[in-house]
Amino acid sequence: VEQFLAYLEVLIADRRQHMGDPEIDVLSRLIAGEGGERLTTDELMHNCIFLLNAGHETTTNLIGNGLVALSEWPTEKARVLADASLVKTAVEEFLRFESSNQLGNRITTAAVEIGGVTLAPRTPVPLCIGAANPDPAPFPDPDRPHVGPPAHRPPPLGSRPRHCPGPRPPSAGVP
């Protein structure tokens, strides 16, 4: 960890001297800031670590989970091998079937009632994202993967279109 932090310090110092294109270089974009606000070196290092974990770990887990699902469900594997156009929906399905991000946290912005309990504004709410994915209401036969395009597929990472803090969502890291 100490070596990685030392590497980040050198990288940040170098990038401050030789900025990259903020349209494609996340670190240059973070250094440039917005609205005149600039991040400190510590804040930049924490954001780099967060982005590494958010982007690398979720994509790695997605690939591994997808390979396991295909090995356990040979008919779905055969479908993908026979029709490359199914890869995109297969990736989304692997996010649903065995979510690469099982837990998340949210903070209420206003008083809200959940399950008969009223939560005050700014209350932390832990989420088990993967627990929603086997719900049979939106997912017929939810305990098996379906790599084909369904009539309707809710987003696998929450009820709204997901936002990935990196330049692309985790499924975009998989061809």
Side-chain angles (χ1 to χ4, degrees), residues 23 106 127:
E23 290 299 313
R106 300 291 186 269
L127 306 173

Side-chain angles (χ1 to χ4, degrees), residues 1-173:
V1 172
E2 290 175 13
Q3 289 176 335
F4 184 65
L5 292 175
Y7 165 77
L8 284 177
E9 284 187 89
V10 171
L11 180 65
I12 290 167
D14 180 67
R15 196 59 50 85
R16 281 188 166 135
Q17 296 298 315
H18 308 96
M19 291 288 281
D21 179 355
E23 290 299 313
I24 59 172
D25 181 351
V26 175
L27 182 55
S28 292
R29 183 182 300 177
L30 289 171
I31 290 169
E34 289 185 7
E37 292 188 36
R38 303 287 173 122
L39 298 175
T40 66
T41 299
D42 281 347
E43 291 169 329
L44 287 166
M45 289 176 31
H46 286 281
N47 274 279
C48 287
I49 292 166
F50 170 74
L51 288 170
L52 175 66
N53 289 328
H56 179 268
E57 183 137 347
T58 55
T59 301
T60 300
N61 291 345
L62 169 62
I63 292 168
N65 292 346
L67 290 172
V68 169
L70 290 174
S71 71
E72 292 176 349
W73 298 90
T75 55
E76 297 303 296
K77 177 182 175 182
R79 290 179 68 200
V80 173
L81 290 174
D83 183 357
S85 71
L86 295 177
V87 169
K88 183 175 173 54
T89 56
V91 168
E92 292 296 318
E93 177 62 0
F94 299 146
L95 284 170
R96 181 210 63 89
F97 181 68
E98 188 64 52
S99 179
S100 58
N101 181 17
Q102 290 289 325
L103 301 173
N105 297 294
R106 300 291 186 269
I107 297 176
T108 60
T109 57
V112 63
E113 185 177 318
I114 300 174
V117 176
T118 301
L119 303 176
R122 310 260 335 128
T123 300
V125 179
L127 306 173
C128 185
I129 297 166
N133 295 336
D135 182 350
F139 303 109
D141 197 12
D143 294 327
R144 65 178 307 277
H146 302 275
V147 298
H152 171 68
R153 182 185 304 271
L157 300 178
S159 63
R160 300 179 187 267
R162 62 184 177 268
H163 170 76
C164 181
R168 302 180 302 161
S171 57

